Amino acid sequence: MFPLHDRTRRFICRAAFLACAVLPTIVVICWCLWVRSAEQLSSMRGQLEAALGLKVQVAKIAYPRPGCTLLEGLELADPETGKAVATVRLAEISTDEHGETIFASQPEVDVAAAEQLKTFIGSRMRRTVTAHAADLRFVANELTVRWADGAQTFVDCSAQLGSTSDGCAATGSLRLANSDAAQAIRFEWRRSNQLGEPLDSVQIGAANAPLPVSLIAVLAERENRWGPHCTVQGTIKAMETPDSWQAEVAGRLANIDLHSAVSSQFPHQLSGTAELTVKHAVVHAGRLEEAEGSIHAGQGSVGSSLLMAAAAVLGLTRGGNNSSANGLVGNEMTGNVTAYDELAADFELDARGFSVHGRCGGKREGTILRNGEQVLLADSDRGPVPVVALVKMLVPDSRVQVPATRQTDWLLHLLPVPDVVPGDPQAVPQARLRGGKGLH
């Protein structure tokens, strides 16, 4: 082999250094500058906005390892109002052979994003069924949900969306922060395609986790009628049927404000804090078809008008100093208020009607309402009364009378619902009945 000139050797070494060290370094630097550029941030925002249907802002983006994207300062906002509905300090999105995994650090979500989240999950479920999309997993050690009346923090949050043998399912679990609940809150949204048309089913299990009713009301787009401190725990199993949804419910409502539930809506006086236990209830097409449970309340007060209405309309036996139930007079709606020590009763509601049985003192001996040893209200042998009697009891003095039957139900949902019109033209109505979402 012939010897190389010294100048030639230096040239070869310099060329090798440029090719193997300098040029790769320049390429890596340029690539890093590109991925951190505004163009790359804009591209990522566009992908997220197309997937979520929300306006997206990202402070920084990085790729710590292959198949992993790290988003810093992620903010999701309503596309119409621009109001922030979710913020995430750090979001790591990784992809592997099992699908995509999103790990969120300290996300804060406004319930206003619930509808967009539902739309996103529904769209992803359709893709999973038709195009066999990859599984999607979500993990967060701590999740805070905010709404107008409060906030709730959950821990150990996880969810997964993937295919099943007959369709797809979205499942998840989480726990209440600072709670001794032994079991996690679990939910499942399953879509089955066995019969050729997709049918949805939903299961929620929160038997040991008292959730704020105000949060549930916002998610369900309903008004909270049970008071600001009311909580609910229990189970729900719902299935889509050809005509509508049917659900089976069991659970307990605690810290019910009876003034909010009754006095704030109807022309009667009732106060106290109650607990409502539902052993079993069936809801079809948004209507309560049957229910069985009990109610218990401690000390409070009750108006004479409510006692009179319960005796006259429900056929209960009124005790106390005035046991007469000869009718309801307009000016009685603002009558005397009596203190009570205990309200306790079992109830049943089905196609036969509504029945109630008193169980003050823990014994089913017929006393529904008592003040010490004095019986204020007791059940009778009348048997079940029509369910519409409950409405008549709550608003007994009104000139607006309509037949409440299955045959007239469709028409009542189409026509405007009037205010309460008292029998006494001089009396001022203290409550209003509203149709649609406001009527419970």
Side-chain angles (χ1 to χ4, degrees):
M1 181 174 227
F2 60 90
L4 294 176
H5 193 275
D6 183 63
R7 182 180 298 176
T8 304
R9 288 198 301 268
R10 289 198 299 268
F11 176 79
I12 293 175
C13 290
R14 289 170 180 171
F17 175 75
L18 289 173
C20 298
V22 177
L23 290 179
T25 302
I26 294 175
V27 170
V28 171
I29 293 174
C30 292
W31 180 81
C32 291
L33 293 175
W34 177 77
V35 297
R36 293 176 181 271
S37 67
E39 181 180 353
Q40 181 68 1
L41 287 175
S42 177
S43 175
M44 178 59 67
R45 285 198 299 266
Q47 294 178 35
L48 293 175
E49 288 177 351
L52 300 175
L54 295 168
K55 185 178 179 181
V56 177
Q57 291 293 334
V58 181
K60 294 181 181 180
I61 184 171
Y63 298 88
R65 61 183 183 273
C68 179
T69 303
L70 186 63
L71 306 178
E72 183 177 346
L74 178 62
E75 180 178 303
L76 308 178
D78 186 285
E80 295 183 358
T81 64
K83 178 183 176 182
V85 296
T87 58
V88 183
R89 189 174 65 87
L90 289 173
E92 180 182 291
I93 306 174
S94 59
T95 304
D96 54 26
E97 65 274 12
H98 301 294
E100 295 178 324
T101 300
I102 301 174
F103 179 83
S105 175
Q106 299 177 341
E108 295 188 5
V109 180
D110 192 290
V111 292
E115 189 61 33
Q116 286 86 350
L117 178 61
K118 179 181 177 182
T119 302
F120 169 74
I121 295 175
S123 175
R124 185 73 184 225
M125 293 178 77
R126 287 191 294 271
R127 286 175 53 197
T128 301
V129 173
T130 59
H132 302 287
D135 291 355
L136 176 65
R137 294 178 295 277
F138 173 85
V139 180
N141 291 332
E142 182 179 295
L143 167 66
T144 301
V145 179
R146 301 187 183 278
W147 65 100
D149 297 330
Q152 179 64 59
T153 299
F154 301 92
V155 296
D156 300 333
C157 309
S158 63
Q160 180 169 339
L161 193 158
S163 59
T164 62
S165 59
D166 60 350
C168 61
T171 60
S173 66
L174 41 79
R175 299 177 186 274
L176 290 173
N178 302 321
S179 174
D180 297 330
Q183 297 180 356
I185 303 169
R186 302 187 182 278
F187 58 88
E188 179 183 70
W189 179 1
R190 184 176 293 273
R191 174 163 293 177
S192 173
N193 203 30
Q194 279 186 329
L195 302 179
E197 292 188 6
L199 292 177
D200 291 344
S201 62
V202 176
Q203 292 189 31
I204 301 175
N208 295 320
L211 294 169
V213 168
S214 56
L215 170 60
I216 304 301
V218 173
L219 291 173
E221 298 183 342
R222 296 292 189 271
E223 185 175 351
N224 178 20
R225 306 283 192 179
W226 304 99
H229 305 294
C230 183
T231 60
V232 59
Q233 57 190 85
T235 59
I236 299 175
K237 295 181 180 180
M239 179 173 292
E240 189 178 17
T241 63
D243 59 337
S244 186
W245 281 80
Q246 178 163 314
E248 295 184 5
V249 181
R252 181 170 67 94
L253 285 166
N255 298 320
I256 299 173
D257 183 355
L258 293 177
H259 184 274
S260 297
V262 177
S263 302
S264 297
Q265 305 179 63
F266 306 102
H268 292 302
Q269 295 299 316
L270 183 65
S271 67
T273 302
E275 179 178 298
L276 177 68
T277 301
V278 178
K279 297 180 180 179
H280 177 71
V282 176
V283 179
H284 183 76
R287 186 180 303 280
L288 183 63
E289 297 285 348
E290 59 182 78
E292 179 184 0
S294 61
I295 185 171
H296 183 273
Q299 294 182 339
S301 60
V302 58
S304 60
S305 65
L306 184 57
L307 296 175
M308 291 180 64
V313 180
L314 299 184
L316 303 179
T317 301
R318 184 182 178 191
N321 297 328
N322 185 358
S323 59
S324 174
N326 297 325
L328 301 178
V329 184
N331 56 14
E332 275 285 346
M333 304 307 286
T334 58
N336 298 327
V337 176
T338 303
Y340 69 84
D341 289 330
E342 184 181 18
L343 184 160
D346 295 334
F347 62 86
E348 295 179 8
L349 183 152
D350 53 29
R352 297 173 301 173
F354 173 78
S355 59
V356 59
H357 306 283
R359 57 175 307 120
C360 281
K363 300 178 181 179
R364 194 167 180 176
E365 297 179 348
T367 302
I368 298 174
L369 195 65
R370 67 176 179 86
N371 184 24
E373 298 299 324
Q374 183 184 34
V375 177
L376 301 179
L377 196 65
D379 56 36
S380 64
D381 298 329
R382 179 173 176 176
V385 298
V387 176
V388 293
L390 283 173
V391 179
K392 188 176 181 181
M393 179 194 73
L394 293 171
V395 191
D397 187 27
S398 176
R399 289 180 293 171
V400 179
Q401 302 291 333
V402 296
T405 64
R406 291 184 180 274
Q407 289 73 25
T408 60
D409 175 67
W410 68 274
L411 186 59
L412 294 176
H413 278 78
L414 292 177
L415 299 176
V417 179
D419 291 340
V420 174
V421 181
D424 180 5
Q426 302 300 321
V428 178
Q430 301 179 35
R432 301 178 64 184
L433 287 178
R434 298 179 174 89
K437 296 180 180 179
L439 183 60
H440 296 276

